[in-house]
Amino acid sequence: MSASYDDVMVSLGLEPSRPKRGRPTGSKNKVPSPCGTYAAYMQHKVRREQACEACLEAKRQYYRVWYAKNGDRIRASRRKGGAS
Protein backbone atom coordinates (compact mmCIF):
# COMPACT_ATOMS: atom_id res chain seq x y z
CA MET A 1 0.00 0.00 0.00
CA SER A 2 1.36 3.41 -0.95
CA ALA A 3 0.94 6.42 1.29
CA SER A 4 0.30 9.80 -0.26
CA TYR A 5 2.83 12.58 0.02
CA ASP A 6 0.57 14.52 2.41
CA ASP A 7 0.14 11.45 4.67
CA VAL A 8 3.91 11.02 4.89
CA MET A 9 4.39 14.71 5.71
CA VAL A 10 1.79 14.51 8.51
CA SER A 11 3.37 11.33 9.92
CA LEU A 12 6.72 13.18 10.09
CA GLY A 13 5.08 16.02 12.00
CA LEU A 14 5.28 18.43 9.07
CA GLU A 15 2.50 20.37 7.38
CA PRO A 16 1.04 18.87 4.22
CA SER A 17 1.52 20.76 0.98
CA ARG A 18 -0.92 23.53 0.12
CA PRO A 19 -2.58 23.63 -3.29
CA LYS A 20 -1.12 26.17 -5.69
CA ARG A 21 -3.06 29.35 -6.25
CA GLY A 22 -4.56 30.39 -9.55
CA ARG A 23 -5.44 28.44 -12.63
CA PRO A 24 -3.55 25.17 -13.11
CA THR A 25 -0.87 25.18 -15.79
CA GLY A 26 -2.25 24.11 -19.13
CA SER A 27 -5.85 24.82 -18.12
CA LYS A 28 -8.15 25.30 -21.09
CA ASN A 29 -11.00 27.00 -19.25
CA LYS A 30 -9.79 30.56 -19.84
CA VAL A 31 -12.40 32.77 -21.46
CA PRO A 32 -10.98 34.41 -24.60
CA SER A 33 -10.95 38.20 -24.70
CA PRO A 34 -13.49 39.79 -27.06
CA CYS A 35 -12.15 41.06 -30.37
CA GLY A 36 -11.39 44.76 -30.42
CA THR A 37 -9.06 44.63 -27.40
CA TYR A 38 -5.28 44.53 -27.13
CA ALA A 39 -5.53 41.21 -25.25
CA ALA A 40 -7.49 39.71 -28.15
CA TYR A 41 -4.83 40.98 -30.57
CA MET A 42 -2.18 39.18 -28.52
CA GLN A 43 -4.29 36.00 -28.54
CA HIS A 44 -4.40 36.18 -32.36
CA LYS A 45 -0.60 36.42 -32.35
CA VAL A 46 -0.17 33.49 -29.94
CA ARG A 47 -2.40 31.37 -32.19
CA ARG A 48 -0.43 32.61 -35.22
CA GLU A 49 -3.58 33.95 -36.84
CA GLN A 50 -4.03 37.07 -38.88
CA ALA A 51 -5.48 39.66 -36.49
CA CYS A 52 -8.90 41.05 -37.37
CA GLU A 53 -9.29 44.76 -38.13
CA ALA A 54 -10.89 45.50 -34.75
CA CYS A 55 -7.93 43.96 -32.92
CA LEU A 56 -5.42 45.79 -35.13
CA GLU A 57 -7.11 49.09 -34.30
CA ALA A 58 -7.03 48.21 -30.59
CA LYS A 59 -3.29 47.50 -30.90
CA ARG A 60 -2.72 50.85 -32.62
CA GLN A 61 -4.63 52.67 -29.90
CA TYR A 62 -2.69 50.80 -27.17
CA TYR A 63 0.65 51.85 -28.68
CA ARG A 64 -0.51 55.46 -29.21
CA VAL A 65 -1.29 55.70 -25.50
CA TRP A 66 1.90 53.84 -24.52
CA TYR A 67 4.09 56.08 -26.66
CA ALA A 68 2.38 59.25 -25.40
CA LYS A 69 3.21 58.10 -21.87
CA ASN A 70 6.77 56.87 -22.55
CA GLY A 71 7.85 58.95 -25.57
CA ASP A 72 10.13 61.31 -23.63
CA ARG A 73 12.05 58.38 -22.16
CA ILE A 74 12.37 56.73 -25.60
CA ARG A 75 13.58 59.94 -27.27
CA ALA A 76 16.12 60.56 -24.46
CA SER A 77 17.43 57.02 -24.84
CA ARG A 78 17.86 57.49 -28.58
CA ARG A 79 19.81 60.74 -28.03
CA LYS A 80 22.19 58.95 -25.66
CA GLY A 81 22.70 56.19 -28.19
CA GLY A 82 21.40 53.27 -26.17
CA ALA A 83 18.87 51.91 -23.77
CA SER A 84 18.66 53.38 -20.30
Side-chain angles (χ1 to χ4, degrees), residues 10-82:
V10 170
S11 70
L12 293 173
L14 302 171
E15 290 189 31
S17 60
R18 288 183 278 155
K20 292 183 179 179
R21 293 183 180 178
R23 201 173 61 247
T25 305
S27 175
K28 300 295 181 192
N29 54 357
K30 181 177 184 275
V31 177
S33 299
C35 277
T37 62
Y38 181 73
Y41 168 78
M42 294 305 292
Q43 288 174 358
H44 283 301
K45 289 300 169 192
V46 165
R47 289 186 235 131
R48 297 182 179 182
E49 302 171 342
Q50 179 116 13
C52 62
E53 189 57 39
C55 291
L56 286 172
E57 184 56 38
K59 179 195 86 151
R60 289 181 198 116
Q61 182 62 28
Y62 174 85
Y63 279 109
R64 277 186 209 111
V65 171
W66 185 90
Y67 193 78
K69 184 173 146 185
N70 296 294
D72 293 339
R73 185 172 55 94
I74 300 298
R75 285 187 290 276
S77 173
R78 288 180 182 161
R79 280 194 297 267
K80 281 194 230 174

